[in-house]
Amino acid sequence: MTTTNSVWSLLLVGLIFHLVYIGTVFDCYFTSPVVLGMQQHSLERGEAKRLVLIVGDGLRADLLLAKNAFPMIPNSPEDVAPHLRSIIETRGAFGISHTRVPTESRPGHVALIGGMYEDVSAVTKGWKTNPVDFDSVFNQSSATFSFGSPDILPMFARGATPGKVEMWCYDEDEEDFTKDATALDVWVLGQLRTLLHNATSDTSLDHRLRQEKTVFFLHLLGLDTTGHSYRPHSKEYMANIQVVDEIVKQTEELMREFYRDDETAFVFTADHGMSKIGNHGDGDPDNTRTPLIVWGKGVRGPLPDSTSSSHDPYSEPFALTHLLRRDVEQADVAALMSALIGVNWPINSVGVLPDIDPTKPGYLLAKETEKTQAEAALVNAKVILEHYRVKHIEKKTHSLFYRPYSYFAQTEHLEEHPGETEVAVIEELIRSMSYYQARLRAKDFVTHALEGLRYLQTYDRTMIRGIVIAAYLGWIAFGAVSILLPSRDTSSGFRTPFHLAAASVLVAFWALFLKQRSPWTFYIYITFPCYFWDQVLVRASSPCLQYIRQGQPGSIVRLTVRGVLVVAALQSMVAGYTHRPIWSVWFVTIGLLWPALSWPSEVRSHNWRLLVAWAACCLGTAIFPLLSVHQEENLISITTGAVAMYAIGIYGMSKFEFADGQEKSMFKTVTFILLNNLGWSVILVNVIVRDLRDKKGVAPLFRFIGWALFLTTAFLPFFLRVGRSNPQARLMSFFLGFGACFVWLAIAVEGLFYVVFSLTLYLWVEVETVLRAHAHPATKKRGVETAREVKQDASTYRPKADDLRIAVFFLFFVQVAFFGTGNVASISSFYLEPVYRLVPIFNPFLMAALLIFKIVSPYIILAITFSILNARLNLPPFSLFLVALTLTDIMTITFFLNVTDTGSWLEIGQTISFFCISSLLLVWSAGICAVGEVLMAGQPRGLVGGDDRKTR
């Protein structure tokens, strides 16, 4: 790489490539299940005239059903929800509804009401204004009356037939995390009561309410809000469950009083659960297990448990082991509701009616039980088959060499449409009253149809994987060639064959995508590997052949050994995503073993103070990955972290020296303001936290002062940049400025981690400076010769063997900045409790912005130190980062191949998170490194080995 422009062009290509290729994980593993042109099916008649769906948002099954679920709370009742428990024991059916990741409200409600699982990327589209672009039980009902949160109801109302779904929502400002959230649930009940009361004097409304196939939807958000604020094992969450239980009881009474019949079916469930730290979104089992209780018209009563027990250790504390537990997948609830009131199954529904399996009791109790169950099984089979049929026709029409799913391929030449023979067999079994055999046949058929549907949804997966692997390997090769081999002109005759080959491959794939009507993103995906490999072959084929002909076995062995060590180091980071102690092992290794085994003895003896400080900081940072990821709010830890920052600020203010007196005065002024703000922030946070614990809320004056302190502290270093001649002084100003994040947004030890991590980064710069000075003593030259050398190095990057190690260390620090105090297994571990100090009212985007700002803070320090290191080693901006960016895709390929959409929801959620994190961290770091270069513009360069203490 010969010019600064080459650095920037390579950086730009790398960033665009990594951003674009994040989408490959969704195109490969999580394509949208929505298809058009499907025929709908339903039972001839439903068992119930109407249905009431009650969803307790964020309700955990164990805390609702277990005996003595809250033993840590004095005088807590044995049964926290006595009414719902009495339904289970006397007149209803129950089980666990298993959700899928992401365990968020939008995809959870889509599964419950639409009968389908959105592709994982759909959660990024938002949940308030986006209409549901697929069918739902609400849309198939005669009318749906919904009450609850403005975050959930609008997406179903706007996605349905106009006028079909009516909604009553409270104002968004009512979702205040510092207030009693049960008021939201009580409001929902009040609106239902008002609606039914108004119908007594409104003939038109009364007529609509009394139509068959009517649905009432009660969305109870209080539990989710309370769980986020106080965590699920709190007395507040327990009290909210009791309120929900009472609401269910009163809803039953309202329906009975208004309709004066027993023709109503009730379904009570949750969209997702909640982890013990009060979060959800990932595949934590506490997030994916939700209660399902069904009772009323058309629903069977409790049954004794089967010979092979339906219970496991999870449900033993429920004290319901004498009753049958019938588990379902979350999308199955939509099929159950459709069967109960006799509406069309929603288009694209993949739910399987529990009653389709004749070997297990389901949920239905029909007038003609066996016949109705068999007919419902047939409808379910037709719905899934229709989904497969449409996808089959689409693939067969547009695929170049189409191969149908093996189960249907056997009879493809005998029938016009796949599966019609098997459907006819099931219909004949029903006509001959062989209901058990019909259900058994339908169950087997649905299993194959779902497998066939999955086969078609993943039809292009192998091809996409090949493209992705070729692209990432191409980027690694392209980056290495760009960095190690200087650009040089080659004859057009030499380049032409490679260009023609790359263009031919590109055109062939584009033609294939056009034939298959592939998404437009596929055209972009294939462009990258074609470009990368074309450039690699053009620029590297001749030098590589020449290198091989020269035959230098020793250098090849050394290169191979270095490559193996780098791959091993990166793979250990991959393992660190699931085994957090590996980060601690890394710190012990670089803090103790690396100096002992690799540093020259002269460096160790002459810089023993630096060695001791480096080892101490590494060992201190190693503690944090070993701590539990589940932290309780701890004001002592928060205050201790702030005191440590304060001490560093005072030390720096008294010790740093400057060549210019005015610059020194400015530095002391800025530092004084930052320390003053930091001190008041600590005091105010202690006051606000105690008020929140006492449920007094956050006083508006305190909130205003808090925002003022937070913003001025964080942004002052950007506006008043100090230490132009002393990079360490400028680093300290940003360290203190971002320290505000770890006072206002910390829950426990994050501030202490921030302090030790920042000190480790600072010492890393000093260590690398000393090692480079010892390895290349010529860089100590001073005067005019050094000035010319600095100018030359600023425009020409000459890679050295140490740069590879520095790049690996940088990658390690990037990972630790993210995972040092967070949960490696889950993005949802970033606590919301500290955010309430500044944003007590629900505002997802502002809350997310604050959390992201907190996550960015260590990266700003990393970026500044990395910029200082580049300057110290006299390297052009981003040169070391580009080496790291080239190496990181060894990790990314591993994470991509490990992504799965099968297995436990925890595994699915982890694999998606790991790939996205691995891809985004380096992209994120690149942007922040750019900020670091801007923030440190004008700093001294090429001072390796210098003795000027005023800048050191």
Side-chain angles (χ1 to χ4, degrees):
M1 182 178 299
T2 60
T3 66
T4 304
N5 288 335
S6 298
V7 174
W8 284 103
S9 61
L10 180 60
L11 180 63
L12 182 63
V13 170
L15 294 182
I16 294 174
F17 167 63
H18 285 85
L19 284 172
V20 169
Y21 260 62
I22 289 173
T24 58
V25 73
F26 301 111
D27 283 327
C28 182
Y29 296 97
F30 305 98
T31 55
S32 174
V34 175
V35 296
L36 303 176
M38 289 178 57
Q39 181 182 347
Q40 292 188 278
H41 302 275
S42 69
L43 287 170
E44 291 185 6
R45 57 182 175 79
E47 296 301 319
K49 291 183 178 179
R50 69 199 67 90
L51 176 94
V52 178
L53 171 62
I54 305 174
V55 175
D57 200 309
L59 176 59
R60 284 173 49 156
D62 56 342
L63 297 183
L64 174 75
L65 300 175
K67 288 278 189 179
N68 296 310
F70 296 88
M72 71 296 296
I73 298 173
N75 303 318
S76 60
E78 184 180 39
D79 296 324
V80 71
H83 181 70
L84 285 167
R85 189 176 187 86
S86 70
I87 292 172
I88 294 173
E89 294 179 330
T90 60
R91 53 196 175 94
F94 90 105
I96 302 298
S97 172
H98 297 275
T99 72
R100 290 191 182 183
V101 290
T103 48
E104 298 288 351
S105 291
R106 174 185 166 106
H109 282 88
V110 167
L112 285 171
I113 301 165
M116 58 166 284
Y117 300 105
E118 280 190 302
D119 60 292
V120 177
S121 61
V123 76
T124 63
K125 300 173 184 176
W127 55 91
K128 291 188 176 184
T129 58
N130 289 56
V132 174
D133 53 0
F134 41 80
D135 203 8
S136 70
V137 175
F138 294 172
N139 193 40
Q140 296 301 326
S141 66
S142 61
T144 293
F145 302 90
S146 56
F147 312 87
S149 168
D151 303 331
I152 297 300
L153 304 190
M155 69 181 187
F156 289 102
R158 294 170 190 166
T161 303
K164 182 70 69 77
V165 180
E166 301 217 17
M167 61 178 184
W168 287 262
C169 303
Y170 38 77
D171 190 77
E172 292 181 356
D173 292 339
E174 295 299 320
E175 299 178 22
D176 191 332
F177 287 93
T178 65
K179 294 181 180 179
D180 185 358
T182 59
L184 304 177
D185 298 340
V186 173
W187 183 93
V188 169
L189 179 65
Q191 295 302 306
L192 174 63
R193 180 179 285 111
T194 301
L195 175 72
L196 298 179
H197 175 75
N198 291 343
T200 59
S201 57
D202 186 333
T203 307
S204 175
L205 176 60
D206 184 72
H207 174 71
R208 289 193 67 198
L209 289 172
R210 295 187 185 278
Q211 292 182 95
E212 294 190 2
K213 302 181 181 180
T214 301
V215 175
F216 294 88
F217 174 41
L218 279 63
H219 175 242
L220 308 179
L221 182 65
L223 285 162
D224 186 73
T225 305
T226 301
H228 285 315
S229 299
Y230 302 101
R231 303 191 181 189
H233 289 93
S234 63
K235 62 180 180 180
E236 290 81 7
Y237 193 84
M238 180 190 73
N240 209 144
I241 293 178
Q242 293 173 314
V243 170
V244 168
D245 187 58
E246 182 62 26
I247 288 174
V248 173
K249 180 180 179 181
Q250 293 191 34
T251 300
E252 270 197 283
E253 294 173 354
L254 287 172
M255 290 293 158
R256 195 177 300 114
E257 290 173 5
F258 182 80
Y259 289 105
R260 300 187 182 279
D261 62 23
D262 294 317
E263 299 294 327
T264 306
F266 295 86
V267 175
F268 178 84
T269 186
D271 54 346
H272 56 76
M274 187 165 288
S275 67
K276 64 182 182 180
I277 62 173
N279 290 335
H280 57 82
D282 65 343
D284 188 308
D286 287 331
N287 292 336
T288 61
R289 293 184 291 213
T290 60
L292 175 63
I293 305 172
V294 189
W295 71 101
K297 183 65 175 179
V299 182
R300 67 163 175 84
L303 295 175
D305 194 22
S306 54
T307 303
S308 178
S309 179
S310 60
H311 292 269
D312 56 22
Y314 175 72
S315 60
E316 286 179 2
F318 299 178
L320 295 170
T321 52
H322 59 291
L323 299 177
L324 180 74
R325 166 185 154 184
R326 185 65 166 93
D327 287 9
V328 302
E329 300 299 326
Q330 194 171 45
D332 300 346
V333 177
L336 176 60
M337 294 191 295
S338 300
L340 281 171
I341 55 176
V343 299
N344 286 329
W345 257 251
I347 294 175
N348 297 302
S349 171
V350 294
V352 179
L353 188 69
D355 297 76
I356 197 174
D357 187 354
T359 63
K360 298 178 182 178
Y363 281 81
L364 298 178
L365 178 64
K367 295 175 181 176
E368 300 176 87
T369 305
E370 292 189 21
K371 180 182 179 182
T372 302
Q373 288 176 325
E375 290 174 343
L378 174 62
V379 171
N380 206 160
K382 288 181 177 179
V383 170
I384 304 297
L385 176 62
E386 183 68 13
H387 204 165
Y388 174 86
R389 183 187 66 80
V390 174
K391 295 280 285 187
H392 163 79
I393 293 173
E394 179 184 328
K395 284 293 181 185
K396 185 177 182 180
T397 304
H398 303 296
S399 294
L400 194 59
F401 303 105
Y402 176 67
R403 299 183 309 278
Y405 180 58
S406 58
Y407 177 80
F408 295 106
Q410 301 170 5
T411 58
E412 186 179 19
H413 62 287
L414 301 175
E415 52 193 10
E416 183 179 354
H417 300 295
E420 62 180 11
T421 303
E422 189 65 21
V423 169
V425 170
I426 298 171
E427 290 175 334
E428 180 58 33
L429 287 171
I430 293 175
R431 281 193 293 270
S432 62
M433 295 187 290
S434 300
Y435 302 128
Y436 185 92
Q437 291 299 322
R439 292 168 64 194
L440 202 60
R441 199 80 179 240
K443 173 180 174 291
D444 182 65
F445 182 73
V446 165
T447 300
H448 285 295
L450 287 172
E451 290 174 354
L453 192 57
R454 173 173 173 75
Y455 168 79
L456 294 178
Q457 288 176 339
T458 61
Y459 191 80
D460 297 322
R461 181 170 294 182
T462 302
M463 178 185 67
I464 299 173
R465 280 176 171 170
I467 292 173
V468 169
I469 293 173
Y472 279 122
L473 291 177
W475 163 253
I476 293 172
F478 176 69
V481 167
S482 300
I483 294 171
L484 299 176
L485 298 178
S487 299
R488 61 178 188 172
D489 294 330
T490 54
S491 64
S492 59
F494 181 80
R495 296 195 303 263
T496 301
F498 295 118
H499 291 335
L500 286 176
S504 300
V505 172
L506 183 64
V507 170
F509 270 100
W510 280 5
L512 176 64
F513 296 154
L514 185 64
K515 165 70 175 173
Q516 297 184 166
R517 295 190 179 181
S518 299
W520 61 270
T521 51
F522 283 31
Y523 296 85
I524 300 176
Y525 295 155
I526 191 61
T527 303
F528 283 102
C530 291
Y531 171 74
F532 290 154
W533 286 111
D534 171 68
Q535 292 297 307
V536 169
L537 292 173
V538 167
R539 295 163 60 179
S541 55
S542 179
C544 287
L545 288 174
Q546 183 179 357
Y547 182 78
I548 293 172
R549 289 195 192 104
Q550 289 177 350
Q552 297 178 348
S555 62
I556 295 175
V557 170
R558 286 194 298 272
L559 186 64
T560 303
V561 170
R562 282 200 185 103
V564 170
L565 289 175
V566 168
V567 171
L570 295 174
Q571 291 303 310
S572 73
M573 294 184 202
V574 171
Y577 276 56
T578 49
H579 302 84
R580 298 181 73 244
I582 288 177
W583 307 116
S584 299
V585 173
W586 259 88
F587 274 113
V588 172
T589 302
I590 66 175
L592 297 179
L593 297 182
W594 176 50
L597 300 178
S598 181
W599 289 19
S601 58
E602 182 182 352
V603 172
R604 289 198 300 268
S605 61
H606 289 179
N607 299 274
W608 64 269
R609 290 186 180 87
L610 176 61
L611 174 61
V612 171
W614 168 252
C617 284
C618 285
L619 294 178
T621 315
I623 295 172
F624 293 93
L626 299 176
L627 300 178
S628 171
V629 296
H630 303 301
Q631 297 285 331
E632 296 286 342
E633 194 170 50
N634 190 323
L635 286 174
I636 295 178
S637 298
I638 296 172
T639 305
T640 303
V643 169
M645 298 176 211
Y646 209 88
I648 291 173
I650 291 178
Y651 177 84
M653 191 164 58
S654 62
K655 293 295 183 180
F656 284 147
E657 296 183 8
F658 300 85
D660 188 310
Q662 184 178 358
E663 189 177 7
K664 181 175 183 179
S665 176
M666 173 65 75
F667 168 72
K668 288 190 174 182
T669 301
V670 171
T671 305
F672 176 80
I673 295 172
L674 293 173
L675 292 176
N676 179 69
N677 287 4
L678 206 59
W680 281 110
S681 294
V682 173
I683 296 171
L684 200 57
V685 164
N686 276 267
V687 173
I688 290 175
V689 167
R690 287 185 169 85
D691 285 347
L692 288 173
R693 289 176 180 176
D694 295 337
K695 300 181 184 178
K696 296 178 181 178
V698 182
L701 178 61
F702 286 171
R703 199 185 316 164
F704 175 80
I705 297 174
W707 273 107
L709 289 172
F710 179 79
L711 293 176
T712 54
T713 307
F715 291 103
L716 182 64
F718 289 93
F719 294 105
L720 295 177
R721 295 188 203 169
V722 297
R724 178 172 293 274
S725 63
N726 190 332
Q728 288 77 12
R730 190 179 300 184
L731 171 63
M732 197 189 77
S733 70
F734 281 102
F735 166 76
L736 294 176
F738 283 95
C741 292
F742 296 94
V743 175
W744 283 101
L745 302 177
I747 193 168
V749 298
E750 299 101 303
L752 291 170
F753 166 76
Y754 175 67
V755 169
V756 182
F757 180 69
S758 299
L759 288 174
T760 304
L761 291 176
Y762 170 75
L763 292 174
W764 179 45
V765 174
E766 300 299 328
V767 167
E768 294 293 354
T769 300
V770 169
L771 291 176
R772 182 61 63 92
H774 181 270
H776 305 281
T779 58
K780 293 185 179 182
K781 293 179 182 179
R782 313 186 65 81
V784 178
E785 182 181 353
T786 303
R788 285 196 296 265
E789 183 181 337
V790 169
K791 184 176 180 181
Q792 181 186 8
D793 281 348
S795 61
T796 304
Y797 175 42
R798 297 191 294 268
K800 297 180 173 63
D802 289 348
D803 294 350
L804 195 62
R805 185 200 67 241
I806 295 173
V808 173
F809 276 27
F810 173 73
L811 285 175
F812 167 68
F813 286 124
V814 166
Q815 310 297 327
V816 173
F818 189 80
F819 292 130
T821 57
N823 182 356
V824 184
S826 165
I827 297 179
S828 76
S829 329
F830 304 120
Y831 302 93
L832 286 175
E833 290 160 270
V835 179
Y836 305 151
R837 301 165 193 166
L838 295 172
V839 188
I841 296 175
F842 182 65
N843 187 325
F845 299 106
L846 183 55
M847 290 176 168
L850 287 173
L851 289 177
I852 290 173
F853 191 66
K854 175 184 173 184
I855 297 167
V856 166
S857 299
Y859 285 97
I860 295 292
I861 304 303
L862 175 59
I864 293 174
T865 54
F866 205 52
S867 175
I868 295 173
L869 182 59
N870 265 294
R872 286 282 190 87
L873 303 186
N874 212 14
L875 299 176
F878 298 104
S879 52
L880 291 175
F881 173 76
L882 288 173
V883 178
L885 188 61
T886 302
L887 296 176
T888 186
D889 285 334
I890 298 173
M891 299 171 60
T892 308
I893 291 173
T894 304
F895 285 129
F896 182 83
L897 295 177
N898 287 342
V899 171
T900 180
D901 58 351
T902 60
S904 72
W905 309 138
L906 178 61
E907 293 170 343
I908 296 172
Q910 281 183 338
T911 57
I912 300 169
S913 301
F914 293 167
F915 172 77
C916 292
I917 291 169
S918 177
S919 300
L920 284 171
L921 279 184
L922 264 295
V923 175
W924 190 348
S925 300
I928 294 176
C929 280
V931 173
E933 292 294 337
V934 172
L935 296 178
M936 299 304 294
Q939 64 177 314
R941 303 187 65 86
L943 297 177
V944 178
D947 298 320
D948 188 352
R949 296 300 174 184
K950 291 186 178 182
T951 57
R952 288 289 302 277

